Amino acid sequence: MSTTDVILAYLDIWNERDDTARMTLMKSVLTEDSLYVDPNNAGLRGHAELSEVIGRMRAQVGEAKFTLGAVMGAHHGRALFTWGLGTVATGYDVVEFADGRIRSIVGFFV
């Protein structure tokens, strides 16, 4: 999978409303010990912690979907990309890859 493909699969995780389906996606896209950090979350480790936060967020934003803005750059196992959540929010994420999956995500809201 290309960098863009992995990022799109990661955004699919955020768009998935079903907990079981979301966990299945996570296993294919994120490492088991993945780390997620954003302005509201100091450090979520692993699939279960992130899935719980995503579930709460999905309940708040309704049908709004995450979309990829642009992959701004990729090098040395890392990538920077922009995203949108319908008309609710936009932001930037920096991801680090390990063995074709995402090991860490640092998110910024605009």
Side-chain angles (χ1 to χ4, degrees), residues 17-33:
R17 294 173 123 348
D18 180 77
D19 294 340
T20 302
R22 184 181 320 114
M23 288 300 281
T24 299
L25 286 170
M26 287 182 150
K27 289 176 183 176
S28 68
V29 177
L30 304 174
T31 62
E32 294 294 324
D33 65 341

Side-chain angles (χ1 to χ4, degrees), residues 2-56:
S2 72
T3 296
T4 301
D5 291 336
V6 175
I7 291 169
L8 287 169
Y10 167 69
L11 293 177
D12 287 343
I13 292 168
W14 282 89
N15 289 326
E16 181 55 59
R17 294 173 123 348
D18 180 77
D19 294 340
T20 302
R22 184 181 320 114
M23 288 300 281
T24 299
L25 286 170
M26 287 182 150
K27 289 176 183 176
S28 68
V29 177
L30 304 174
T31 62
E32 294 294 324
D33 65 341
S34 60
L35 175 67
Y36 177 85
V37 178
D38 71 16
N40 297 327
N41 297 283
L44 305 174
R45 180 71 67 181
H47 300 163
E49 289 183 11
L50 181 56
S51 185
E52 182 180 324
V53 167
I54 292 171
R56 286 195 309 262

